[in-house]
Amino acid sequence: MKHTTPLRAAIAALLLTVGLGAAHGGVASARPLPEPATASSAAAPSASAGLLDAMRRDLGLTASQAEERLSAEKAAAAVEKTARQAAGDAYGGSWYDPSTGRLVVAVTDRAKESAARALGADTRLVRHSAAALDRAKARLDTLRAPTGVAGWHVDPRTNSVVVTVVRTEREAPAVRAFVDLARAGGPVTVTETAQAPRTYAAGTVGGDPYYTGNVRCSIGFSVYGGFVTAGHCGQAGAAVRGWDGSAMGTFQGSSFPGNDYAYVGIHSGWWTVPVVLGWGTIPDQLVRGSAEAPVGASICRSGSTTHWHCGTVLARNETVNYSQGAVHQMTKTSVCAEGGDSGGSFLSGDQAQGVTSGGWGNCSSGGQTWFQPINEILGRYGLTLHTA
């Protein structure tokens, strides 16, 4: 990141205060998941006043309620990994229940319930294992979906594969045929959406984004040597200009459709920082790791068009059917976004979650947005997330 404005000077001062220094001086890695804990015993994660304010606005929480929820979600994320191992083949998925502040673990074998409860989770007995539902979804991933099908994902709460169709096209022959094929392969729940998903790239406008060609997108997260963003924002080899119009770097790798992620390597004169920008409207947020938030957890997004907005995780591993082609392994959220927010940061507390891909709606009337998970991107390109 190139620092020439008061906002960037403030970020530099923040980094000096916490003793981080420049990006090229050493290697940092994502922190490991903590030991399993209950919500009451988990340490409250770091959260800026701006993040808490966004959660108040979008989730209807007070500042203290937002802090308590972040703490409970951090504990649930820690429990989830261990609970999955304890349930073994009987694991049916899991999700965070905001009404109780606890993780719920679905199991197909009643004998496995006590093991999950001993870890601090609630349980639900279900018919289908997560592995069986994943196989049913994988069969759908081999099909070419019509435009009236918005996407599909495994939903642990309904213990089924959820197929989402555009409301006005539900009765179209191609859509009905796709749903019939889906039901033949396993348990399916059909839901409706008002609009089909689309990517959030935008034409060039002023602001504090990055640019490639005549497209404006948002930086996702700093990694050593550059940053990650959305794949639909540029192809490998494409030049990138920074917020000030100067040469910033080059797309080193990009994948879209199929995936929606990319890695931009930056030139000398720019450097990376473990910070998600507040775009001059809220304090900036430090990034301390990339522990994955469970379904049901709160999540917030930062982008160069609409700044900070929050919501909840609705589904993981969803296949999203854009007009350009299907994109796999996406996470669905209730957060809004608009053109130019593509590539921007999704955070849960101080944990990086992924980069903004697309969705439907806007931040005036509401909508839904998908992101490509950060850990998948890091693994694909062999990158190390820059953390505080």
Side-chain angles (χ1 to χ4, degrees):
M1 184 156 299
K2 201 173 184 181
H3 302 287
T4 58
T5 68
L7 172 60
R8 288 170 175 73
I11 297 170
L14 171 64
L15 295 176
L16 289 172
T17 299
V18 297
L20 298 175
H24 301 296
V27 178
S29 61
R31 293 184 178 183
L33 289 172
E35 290 300 312
T38 63
S40 60
S41 65
S46 171
S48 70
L51 176 60
L52 297 177
D53 186 60
M55 293 179 71
R56 175 197 58 76
R57 178 194 63 206
D58 297 332
L59 296 175
L61 304 175
T62 66
S64 60
Q65 287 172 333
E67 288 275 18
E68 290 171 0
R69 177 156 179 166
L70 289 171
S71 180
E73 290 171 351
K74 186 175 183 180
V79 169
E80 182 179 37
K81 183 177 180 180
T82 310
R84 179 190 295 264
Q85 295 171 342
D89 293 342
Y91 181 72
S94 59
W95 61 95
Y96 174 78
D97 184 351
S99 67
T100 63
R102 293 164 63 88
L103 187 75
V104 181
V105 178
V107 293
T108 59
D109 183 352
R110 192 177 297 278
K112 296 290 186 179
E113 287 185 299
S114 58
R117 288 173 180 166
L119 296 169
D122 294 332
T123 59
R124 180 178 296 177
L125 194 64
V126 296
R127 180 177 179 182
H128 307 285
S129 70
L133 294 175
D134 286 341
R135 288 193 294 271
K137 178 188 175 293
R139 285 192 288 270
L140 290 187
D141 288 342
T142 65
L143 304 177
R144 184 175 180 84
T147 56
V149 176
W152 52 94
H153 67 273
V154 170
D155 180 15
R157 290 165 293 194
T158 61
N159 196 226
S160 67
V161 176
V162 173
V163 177
T164 304
V165 301
V166 179
R167 185 173 299 119
T168 57
E169 300 185 50
R170 178 164 186 166
E171 298 304 319
V175 172
R176 295 180 65 177
F178 184 89
V179 171
D180 288 343
L181 284 173
R183 285 177 168 149
V188 164
T189 301
V190 178
T191 62
E192 297 180 352
T193 183
Q195 303 174 39
R198 66 188 189 281
T199 57
Y200 283 128
T204 301
V205 298
D208 187 20
Y210 76 87
Y211 305 88
T212 177
N214 66 344
V215 170
R216 171 170 68 88
C217 283
S218 300
I219 292 172
F221 293 95
S222 286
V223 296
Y224 285 93
F227 63 86
V228 293
T229 186
H232 70 262
C233 291
Q235 297 181 343
V240 171
R241 305 187 308 281
W243 62 272
D244 60 355
S246 66
M248 185 181 194
T250 305
F251 277 86
Q252 301 298 310
S254 179
S255 179
F256 179 80
N259 305 293
D260 193 7
Y261 50 61
Y263 163 49
V264 174
I266 56 175
H267 299 323
S268 59
W270 296 83
W271 59 93
T272 62
V273 291
V275 169
V276 172
L277 292 174
W279 313 109
T281 60
I282 65 169
D284 305 313
Q285 180 74 16
L286 289 172
V287 177
R288 301 187 183 277
S290 59
E292 187 177 34
V295 170
S298 64
I299 196 164
C300 297
R301 179 195 55 72
S302 182
S304 61
T305 299
T306 58
H307 306 157
W308 282 95
H309 285 274
C310 298
T312 57
V313 178
L314 299 178
R316 290 180 181 170
N317 191 24
E318 177 154 19
T319 297
V320 179
N321 193 34
Y322 292 131
S323 61
Q324 301 94 326
V327 176
H328 308 290
Q329 296 179 310
M330 301 269 269
T331 299
K332 181 180 184 179
T333 76
S334 63
V335 187
C336 68
E338 296 180 13
D341 286 328
S342 279
S345 322
F346 265 93
L347 285 165
S348 179
D350 56 12
Q351 299 295 302
Q353 298 297 307
V355 300
T356 303
S357 173
W360 62 268
N362 56 55
C363 290
S364 296
S365 59
Q368 295 176 339
T369 301
W370 285 260
F371 68 80
Q372 190 90 66
I374 182 67
N375 290 327
E376 179 186 357
I377 307 171
L378 299 176
R380 169 62 179 83
Y381 294 117
L383 303 171
T384 300
L385 184 67
H386 193 168
T387 58

